[in-house]
Amino acid sequence: MDTDAALRQIEAAQGLEALQSLKVQYLGKNGLLTQQMKTLGSLSPEERKERGRQLNEAKGRLEAALEAREAALRERALQEQLEKEALDVSLPGYAFPSGGLHLISQIQQELLGIFRSMGHSVVEGPEVESEFFNFDGVNMPEWHPARDMQDTFWLQKPERFTIHGPFGEDVGDLGGALLRTHTSPMQVRYMIQHTPPFKIVVPGRVFRYEQTDASHEAMFFQLEGLVVGPDITMADLKGAITELARGLFGAEAKVRFQPTFFPFVEPGAQFAMWWAERGRWLELGGSGMVHPNVFKAVDDYREKMGLPRAYEGMTGWAFGFGIERLALLRYGIPDIRYFYQQNRLSFLRQFRN
Ligand code: DAH
């Protein structure tokens, strides 16, 4: 057996398996060295001593070489594995664009939160409305200017769908079909279906047939509030609007009411909020005490449906305002068209929550 040749083979072994077979080849039960060891017995004592010493030395060298090579191979395998599995934490990651709520949705949620905290239920109504709920029911008789073609998107009398009343009844005979111009029709729908006392808020999309400009859109959102009960007063209205102002602009906020005409309320008042941070009043919307004619229209409808009149002796307050307007003022946005036209994602992203 050529010990040096064996050592070279061991050092050149390229894997643990190859190394193992070399070990078997030389040191195994039938290995070359083992076989030579077995021949020692047939030698003379002097020869045996010398030969035994040589073989033992060779065995020691082979064992040491095997061990060293094994350690080296294991180390190399480990290094290779580490390299293969290495993570380059400095590589840029994949950007998954995340969605966000539209600014108007965010403000709507904020407003609903404020009213929920005062005990209001949130209800919604249809966008395609009958003339009766949008106008007549809220004391806007035929001669009212808001019923002019200029302001309303009238729809052809629906042939393939029906406008339903609060109980699912067909109200096709109660006037024309239109896109609601405000959220106030939901006052009538809700009152027909429920008996006081109650507190509600109605968020929703409304439509106006008008030229768009920096402060007018043909579609926008409103929030309507309605509280009805046996002893509801204008003080309750002022309290609620004050609470709204505080929710929006902080504890320092103040409110201001100025007499105005709205057909569905008497007395009616427009209201503004004091924005302390900017030192200015924000004219926000309309409000007032529910007009007796609204209650009467509701009770007449209830009677027609075979329900008892429920609003005689009741009082209530209502308000309504545009959500976009609040957003424009609060964030200093110069043009309402940024919200829905021109696909202004770069604009909207600034407000991603
Ligand atoms: N519906 C009115 C509008 O769209 C806003 C409004 C004013 C609603 C006074 C009310 C109210 O409930 O009391 O211009």
Side-chain angles (χ1 to χ4, degrees):
M1 190 197 78
D2 182 342
T3 307
D4 289 332
L7 287 172
R8 278 197 299 277
Q9 276 181 316
I10 290 170
E11 252 144 60
Q14 285 309 312
L16 288 169
E17 260 171 58
L19 195 67
Q20 180 60 28
S21 59
L22 285 171
K23 188 172 181 178
V24 172
Q25 190 185 333
Y26 292 106
L27 301 178
K29 239 194 228 146
N30 297 310
L32 288 175
L33 195 100
T34 318
Q35 277 171 14
Q36 293 189 18
M37 292 281 206
K38 282 178 187 160
T39 65
L40 285 176
S42 60
L43 298 176
S44 67
E46 295 88 64
E47 276 174 329
R48 191 189 303 155
K49 196 176 168 201
E50 176 56 19
R51 189 72 185 129
R53 194 190 54 73
Q54 283 172 358
L55 287 177
N56 269 329
E57 191 210 88
K59 189 182 178 201
R61 287 171 68 196
L62 287 179
E63 278 172 349
L66 282 165
E67 212 170 293
R69 187 62 190 154
E70 182 177 335
L73 286 173
R74 285 194 190 283
E75 170 69 14
R76 192 170 80 182
L78 180 65
Q79 284 307 328
E80 276 169 6
Q81 192 185 3
L82 287 177
E83 261 163 52
K84 205 170 68 200
E85 292 175 1
L87 272 183
D88 182 351
V89 291
S90 70
L91 276 178
Y94 298 104
F96 290 104
S98 64
L101 289 181
H102 192 286
L103 177 60
I104 298 304
S105 300
Q106 293 177 45
I107 296 180
Q108 183 178 294
Q109 291 302 325
E110 183 184 356
L111 293 167
L112 296 183
I114 294 170
F115 281 98
R116 279 198 185 97
S117 76
M118 290 191 265
H120 288 241
S121 310
V122 177
V123 296
E124 289 178 290
E127 293 169 7
V128 171
E129 196 43 289
S130 112
E131 186 177 358
F132 172 76
F133 293 110
N134 196 79
F135 290 133
D136 304 80
V138 289
N139 194 33
M140 288 175 87
E142 197 127 31
W143 47 262
H144 197 276
R147 298 187 61 159
D148 215 293
M149 280 295 290
Q150 298 307 94
D151 300 315
T152 307
F153 286 110
W154 291 93
L155 303 174
Q156 281 176 356
K157 253 304 176 55
E159 277 166 21
R160 280 174 300 163
F161 68 99
T162 324
I163 298 177
H164 295 287
F167 299 101
E169 68 281 17
D170 186 341
V171 294
D173 57 341
L174 291 181
L178 48 78
L179 295 181
R180 67 176 175 193
T181 58
H182 51 181
T183 41
S184 305
M186 199 46 196
Q187 289 192 23
V188 182
R189 285 178 174 271
Y190 190 87
M191 284 195 277
I192 288 171
Q193 233 189 336
H194 300 81
T195 51
F198 57 76
K199 304 174 175 187
I200 59 168
V201 269
V202 188
R205 205 190 295 261
V206 303
F207 306 84
R208 300 274 169 96
Y209 181 45
E210 56 192 355
Q211 196 71 40
T212 62
D213 62 26
S215 50
H216 294 87
E217 263 287 13
M219 185 283 291
F220 57 99
F221 284 81
Q222 283 191 338
L223 187 72
E224 187 93 8
L226 177 68
V227 171
V228 180
D231 300 302
I232 301 299
T233 70
M234 193 110 186
D236 298 313
L237 168 63
K238 292 185 79 172
I241 299 292
T242 304
E243 213 45 51
L244 170 63
R246 287 187 181 142
L248 290 171
F249 298 109
E252 308 291 287
K254 292 185 291 189
V255 292
R256 180 183 75 183
F257 288 81
Q258 288 168 300
T260 314
F261 173 77
F262 295 104
F264 17 88
V265 283
E266 181 59 35
Q270 63 193 49
F271 61 90
M273 293 179 181
W274 177 248
W275 188 8
E277 216 175 287
R278 294 287 163 90
R280 54 177 289 210
W281 289 99
L282 305 183
E283 205 59 67
L284 210 59
S287 66
M289 299 304 292
V290 179
H291 197 290
N293 286 352
V294 177
F295 286 146
K296 183 174 180 302
V298 166
D299 267 341
D300 288 350
Y301 198 106
R302 284 176 59 87
E303 215 164 60
K304 205 177 69 186
M305 296 299 293
L307 295 166
R309 301 180 80 83
Y311 289 85
E312 279 156 16
M314 293 294 154
T315 51
W317 59 252
F319 72 79
F321 64 87
I323 299 182
E324 284 79 3
R325 197 180 143 70
L326 173 60
L328 294 178
L329 294 168
R330 198 196 208 182
Y331 295 100
I333 297 163
D335 197 316
I336 193 172
R337 288 168 293 194
Y338 290 177
F339 288 130
Y340 309 117
Q341 294 184 34
Q342 301 157 1
N343 220 353
R344 290 243 182 183
L345 279 180
S346 55
F347 163 76
L348 291 171
R349 280 201 184 102
Q350 299 174 77
F351 304 101
R352 184 154 60 187
N353 54 338

